[in-house]
Amino acid sequence: MDGFEIVDRRFAPFVLDNAPLEKLGDGFRWLEGPVWFGDMQTLLFNDLPNNRTMQWSARGGASVFRSPSWFANGQTRDREGRLISCSHERRCVIRTEHNGALSVIADRFEGKKLNSPNDVVAKSDGSIWFTDPWYGLQTDYEGGKADPELPCRVYRIDGASGALSIVSDEFQGPNGLCFSPDESLLYIAETGLLFAPDPVQEIRVFQVDSGGTTISHGRRFHKVSPGFADGFRCDEDGNIWSSAADGVHCIAPSGDLMGKVLTPSRVANLTFGGRANSRLFICASQALYAIYLNRRGAR
Ligand code: MG
């Protein structure tokens, strides 16, 4: 089938031979942070180096939602449907309230400034989990050069108290993250040290402990190639749909590559959306794409 690569025959029914890859927008600088608002039939996403959050809908096409965006990167919605955004420039995690006001929900740990929160997910207990690598501090292009005050870590924001706790400090460059549909597993991308000659780049998987607030038993899950995993999402059966240099890779819970949706440019992040949550929205470098799949994203 054109536009796909089927590695494992289990992948064949996931894609539709009459559903093309559609380009929804182009001319951006670097896209990230796609998040679907079904109530508005709208996708929000970030044109990161242009310091703006964009919106796309079938009716209105692409337009600016918020500018400046504080160099926002990864995004999600919390259990109340509010937009949660990682900000490189302000070195924080921001919540957009129902009335449009912005609240900083994490910007320091033990008095020290966070680095540059990169990607974020919400858990069913109301907590927010995010990665905090150095990337946004290492260039002016994606936020602003500054010295880090903290190591690269993954954090959890408690839903009730708002307190920040360390989830992991075992990463050189923690990036995308995603829970399995039943939240028993947490996948985290290691993308390594920026500018390192041979960075460690792989997806790791951890068991979420019974209390639901910590992780353990981390191991290598999958190494995306070509390129590396930045952002990724689970479908309803726990398959991982990951960014890669040549498109979106579908990885079984066993860790095996099953197939690919090929794109003309490198993918940084993606999300499920649309009426049935079966349309994959893809942030691929300077362009935004979408494709209907015979798969639904995890709720
Ligand atoms: Mg990222």
Side-chain angles (χ1 to χ4, degrees):
M1 268 191 281
D2 222 22
F4 305 111
E5 187 177 322
I6 296 171
V7 177
D8 182 314
R9 61 185 174 168
R10 287 177 292 172
F11 184 72
F14 292 2
V15 294
L16 303 161
D17 64 6
N18 62 347
L21 184 71
E22 301 169 71
K23 186 187 276 189
L24 305 182
D26 203 351
F28 307 104
R29 209 161 250 157
W30 184 257
L31 294 186
E32 256 291 355
V35 57
W36 178 251
F37 281 68
D39 38 357
M40 299 191 297
Q41 293 294 297
T42 294
L43 184 83
L44 296 184
F45 57 105
N46 289 315
D47 188 0
L48 205 175
N50 275 328
N51 197 15
R52 58 184 187 168
T53 299
M54 308 298 297
Q55 58 188 349
W56 177 90
S57 68
R59 188 174 299 179
S63 61
V64 175
F65 172 78
R66 175 188 292 162
S67 181
S69 63
W70 299 350
F71 288 84
N73 189 344
Q75 301 188 121
T76 193
R77 300 181 79 180
D78 70 6
R79 302 303 294 179
E80 296 182 40
R82 296 170 294 192
L83 175 67
I84 306 290
S85 309
C86 293
S87 163
H88 280 190
E89 186 183 38
R90 300 286 176 103
R91 303 170 68 165
C92 66
V93 180
I94 301 165
R95 182 173 64 216
T96 302
E97 307 293 351
H98 292 303
N99 65 7
L102 302 180
S103 304
V104 172
I105 58 171
D107 63 348
R108 283 171 189 272
F109 183 77
E110 293 180 340
K112 294 182 175 145
K113 279 185 184 178
L114 296 178
N115 301 313
S116 51
N118 187 289
D119 216 339
V120 60
V121 285
K123 194 164 173 287
S124 61
D125 63 0
S127 60
I128 303 289
W129 301 49
F130 68 96
T131 54
D132 187 41
W134 290 338
Y135 303 134
L137 304 180
Q138 292 177 288
T139 69
D140 288 323
Y141 185 57
E142 290 201 352
K145 276 191 180 181
D147 292 327
E149 296 178 20
L150 290 165
C152 298
R153 284 176 177 151
V154 183
Y155 293 98
R156 175 185 183 271
I157 308 170
D158 189 81
S161 69
L164 210 58
S165 59
I166 298 172
V167 172
S168 176
D169 52 10
E170 296 170 22
F171 285 78
Q172 294 185 322
N175 203 320
L177 73 174
C178 174
F179 287 102
S180 60
D182 65 0
E183 299 184 336
S184 66
L185 302 172
L186 178 64
Y187 298 90
I188 306 173
E190 165 69 273
T191 48
L193 289 174
L194 193 65
F195 308 128
D198 192 15
V200 176
Q201 296 181 321
E202 62 190 25
I203 301 174
R204 295 182 191 156
V205 62
F206 297 80
Q207 290 178 20
V208 178
D209 298 327
S210 55
T213 61
T214 57
I215 60 174
S216 62
H217 297 88
R219 62 180 171 83
R220 181 178 180 163
F221 170 69
H222 182 88
K223 179 167 175 53
V224 163
S225 180
F228 56 88
D230 188 338
F232 47 86
R233 294 285 194 281
C234 269
D235 68 25
E236 58 187 348
D237 292 322
N239 302 301
I240 302 285
W241 295 75
S242 173
S243 51
D246 58 349
V248 177
H249 292 193
C250 179
I251 305 154
S254 61
D256 298 322
L257 174 67
M258 291 202 285
K260 304 177 181 182
V261 176
L262 301 171
T263 58
S265 48
R266 175 180 152 194
V267 174
N269 217 330
L270 52 109
T271 196
F272 286 91
R275 178 181 53 83
N277 209 32
S278 61
R279 194 177 189 188
L280 194 63
F281 291 91
I282 303 169
C283 290
S285 304
Q286 286 75 49
L288 177 70
Y289 294 92
I291 188 167
Y292 285 97
L293 300 172
N294 191 25
R295 291 270 80 198
R296 287 178 178 160
R299 289 290 176 186

